[in-house]
């Protein structure tokens, strides 16, 4: 019956994570998957999250199904984080939000709903992007093309090429945008460039689908949501997927959200209905535990303040490690221009020149990076950063 099934080559990021796990060398360094490690090399359990877990664990309430859209408190807290507490859009009931299975679940549900109502639209993703964007959108039935984003020669964002491409797109084309901490390049648009994108979106009547998996790890929780706020201000419809995996260090609980900004409250209630139907068809309702932990942190003023300080500390540590990597590389390989690293932010750095050396980095030095040349800066610490710089320099010399 199943003899025609083809073999699955595996996911490039998740396969590397398994290879790293099974590597017996104690000095191995994981700069592959987007996981935040602390300076001790551990994936942290945030204090705010642990305290919220104690509260949730103490509850004697039975474990019942959540509604299709998830916990209402979670959705409200998510809206306020993504759109801003004082958002006029929220007051007017113009945002439909559901709790999702991480950011990937949000992208999947959003793609299904878009395919139903925009069957003739094409989807556009950045070149490069997180591999799963293409997979999820193609899986939902869209034809997907990449828009210019990163110039491998200058190793920087090529905003002019991106803007010129967007100008040529047909009405209702779905444009996937990373509001902050671009994955994989770490090369973000500044606010003036986002304003320009918003103008093009309005002029061309494009349909933005934002993927915000790292809010808080670029420049801060508020500033990283600049694009969300700019689209609302311009009164343009869009979808935004957000994830709590990294910023709560709660990867396995699969916590994310999907919001649709609509023209009015009536449209938002229909949008919510469509999101609920897509959820019902996919997995019925999201898991409750992680969601309750996240909402407990977000809604309790003391835990919220503690969590925000923990996000700040993660962001600052990543930034410090990027500077440290840059310093180390300049020291061991001064002939090479490493300054592009300083223009990047968030969890990743991107050095396409390292791409052909990925196997050598893994086999010879135990340094795991992604095949594109993406480096998870959040896997660096004060003990492994020098060795990493030496490994990078050795393969490039
Ligand atoms: C990554 O890009 O490494 C993360 O988003 C994890 C994943 O699911 O690929």
């Amino acid at each position: 019956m199943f003899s025609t099934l083809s073999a699955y080559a595996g996911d490039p990021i998740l396969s590397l994570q398994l290879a790293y796990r099974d590597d017996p060398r104690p000095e191995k360094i994981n700069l592959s998957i987007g996981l935040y490690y602390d300076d001790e090399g551990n994936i942290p359990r945030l204090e705010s999250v642990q305290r919220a877990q104690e509260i949730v664990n103490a509850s004697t309430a039975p474990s019942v199904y959540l509604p299709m859209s998830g916990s209402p408190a979670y959705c409200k807290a998510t809206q306020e984080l993504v759109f801003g507490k004082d958002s006029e859009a929220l007051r007017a009931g113009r945002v439909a939000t559901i709790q999702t299975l991480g950011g990937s679940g949000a992208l999947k549900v959003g793609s299904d709903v878009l395919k139903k109502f925009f069957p003739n639209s094409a989807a556009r993703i950045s070149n490069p992007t997180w591999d799963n964007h293409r997979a999820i959108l193609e899986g939902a039935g869209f034809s997907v093309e990449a828009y210019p984003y990163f110039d491998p020669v200058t190793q920087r964002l090529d905003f002019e090429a991106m803007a010129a491409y967007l100008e040529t797109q047909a009405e209702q084309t779905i444009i996937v945008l990373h509001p902050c901490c671009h994955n994989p390049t770490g090369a973000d648009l500044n606010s003036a460039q986002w304003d320009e994108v918003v103008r093009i979106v309005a002029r061309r009547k494009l349909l933005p689908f934002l993927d915000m998996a790292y809010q808080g790890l670029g420049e801060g929780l508020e500033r990283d949501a600049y694009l969300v706020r700019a689209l609302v201000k311009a009164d343009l419809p869009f979808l935004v997927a957000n994830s709590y995996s990294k910023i709560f260090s709660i990867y396995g609980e699969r916590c994310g959200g999907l919001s649709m900004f609509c023209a009015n409250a009536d449209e938002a209630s229909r949008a919510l209905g469509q999101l609920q139907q897509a959820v019902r068809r996919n997995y019925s309702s999201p898991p409750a535990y992680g969601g309750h932990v996240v909402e407990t942190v977000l809604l309790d003023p003391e835990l919220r303040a503690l969590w925000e300080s923990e996000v700040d500390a993660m962001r600052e540590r990543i930034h410090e490690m990027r500077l440290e990597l840059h310093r180390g590389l300049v020291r061991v390989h001064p002939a090479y221009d490493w300054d592009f690293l300083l223009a990047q932010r968030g969890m990743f750095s991107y050095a396409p020149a390292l791409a052909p050396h990925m196997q050598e980095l893994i086999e010879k030095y135990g340094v795991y990076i992604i095949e594109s040349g993406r480096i998870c800066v959040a896997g660096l610490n004060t003990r492994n950063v020098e060795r990493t710089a030496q490994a990078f320099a050795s393969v490039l010399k």
Side-chain angles (χ1 to χ4, degrees):
M1 189 64 82
F2 302 131
S3 61
T4 54
L5 267 57
S6 50
Y8 173 47
D11 178 85
I13 295 178
L14 302 182
S15 304
L16 267 181
Q17 176 64 6
L18 297 182
Y20 172 81
R21 185 198 61 190
D22 298 338
D23 186 335
R25 291 173 291 179
E27 70 282 6
K28 63 188 175 179
I29 301 172
N30 192 9
L31 311 179
S32 59
I33 194 166
L35 282 175
Y36 177 88
Y37 289 88
D38 63 19
D39 199 50
E40 306 303 314
N42 299 317
I43 297 165
R45 294 193 59 213
L46 303 188
E47 196 191 326
S48 54
V49 171
Q50 286 188 58
R51 281 169 53 185
Q53 281 176 318
E54 282 163 20
I55 295 169
V56 174
N57 294 348
S59 162
T60 54
S63 175
V64 291
Y65 296 121
L66 285 182
M68 291 173 278
S69 51
S71 155
Y74 177 101
C75 294
K76 184 170 183 297
T78 296
Q79 288 182 332
E80 290 180 355
L81 183 69
V82 172
F83 288 79
K85 207 169 166 43
D86 301 320
S87 166
E88 183 50 44
L90 297 184
R91 262 201 299 279
R94 292 177 59 184
V95 181
T97 298
I98 62 166
Q99 174 183 341
T100 60
L101 278 73
S104 306
L107 292 165
K108 169 63 180 156
V109 172
S111 298
D112 282 354
V113 170
L114 287 175
K115 187 62 191 171
K116 186 171 168 192
F117 291 95
F118 300 89
N120 302 319
S121 288
R124 303 292 180 239
I125 55 178
S126 63
N127 180 22
T129 192
W130 182 54
D131 286 338
N132 220 16
H133 281 155
R134 178 180 288 279
I136 290 173
L137 287 156
E138 286 183 345
F142 288 108
S143 89
V144 180
E145 254 182 37
Y147 57 82
Y149 188 83
F150 190 81
D151 180 345
V153 177
T154 63
Q155 309 209 64
R156 281 172 176 77
L157 169 72
D158 187 350
F159 180 70
E160 271 169 30
M162 174 186 178
Y165 181 95
L166 295 182
E167 286 281 10
T168 65
Q169 296 305 291
E171 277 185 21
Q172 301 190 339
T173 301
I174 295 154
I175 312 291
V176 177
L177 298 166
H178 308 216
C180 60
C181 310
H182 184 266
N183 181 3
T185 68
D188 284 343
L189 278 67
N190 61 34
S191 43
Q193 290 167 329
W194 280 131
D195 289 343
E196 182 55 24
V197 168
V198 169
R199 280 192 286 275
I200 298 170
V201 165
R203 202 158 48 231
R204 305 297 310 167
K205 297 195 173 53
L206 306 176
L207 180 36
F209 194 170
L210 280 46
D211 183 5
M212 189 158 65
Y214 305 93
Q215 185 182 2
L217 297 183
E219 297 198 335
L221 288 163
E222 284 296 311
R223 292 178 67 180
D224 287 350
Y226 180 84
L227 176 59
V228 175
R229 317 292 161 85
L231 286 165
V232 169
K233 204 160 141 209
D235 210 359
L236 296 170
F238 66 98
L239 286 82
V240 51
N242 74 296
S243 170
Y244 295 112
S245 297
K246 339 274 173 180
I247 54 177
F248 273 73
S249 195
I250 195 169
Y251 308 86
E253 302 299 342
R254 309 311 294 133
C255 294
L258 174 65
S259 300
M260 284 176 78
F261 176 57
C262 301
N264 51 51
D266 175 54
E267 193 178 291
S269 90
R270 282 179 282 128
L272 185 61
Q274 290 301 329
L275 295 174
Q276 287 168 329
Q277 189 185 44
V279 166
R280 180 67 170 153
R281 288 176 176 178
N282 273 307
Y283 52 85
S284 210
S285 60
Y289 180 74
H292 288 323
V293 171
V294 168
E295 76 198 19
T296 302
V297 172
L298 291 178
L299 295 171
D300 178 294
E302 199 186 316
L303 293 184
R304 171 71 175 243
L306 175 59
W307 171 70
E308 287 190 9
S309 69
E310 292 182 295
V311 174
D312 289 345
M314 287 194 272
R315 180 181 63 253
E316 281 154 23
R317 199 192 81 75
I318 296 172
H319 181 63
E320 191 45 48
M321 282 305 115
R322 178 174 281 112
L323 296 181
E324 205 48 59
L325 177 65
H326 177 259
R327 279 194 281 267
L329 286 164
V330 169
R331 207 163 37 241
V332 293
H333 194 351
Y336 197 88
D337 179 7
W338 294 104
D339 285 358
F340 65 93
L341 290 173
L342 302 177
Q344 303 173 341
R345 68 196 127 175
M347 213 145 176
F348 305 115
S349 268
Y350 187 59
L354 290 174
H357 305 288
M358 177 189 113
Q359 280 309 333
E360 190 187 353
L361 282 168
I362 293 176
E363 282 157 26
K364 205 161 158 195
Y365 301 97
V367 177
Y368 284 72
I369 64 164
I370 301 286
E371 62 184 346
S372 61
R374 188 188 83 174
I375 306 155
C376 180
V377 184
L380 292 171
N381 59 48
T382 41
R383 286 179 316 286
N384 68 20
V385 63
E386 185 67 35
R387 268 192 297 129
T388 301
Q390 266 156 10
F392 287 173
S394 313
V395 297
L396 287 179
K397 269 178 186 166

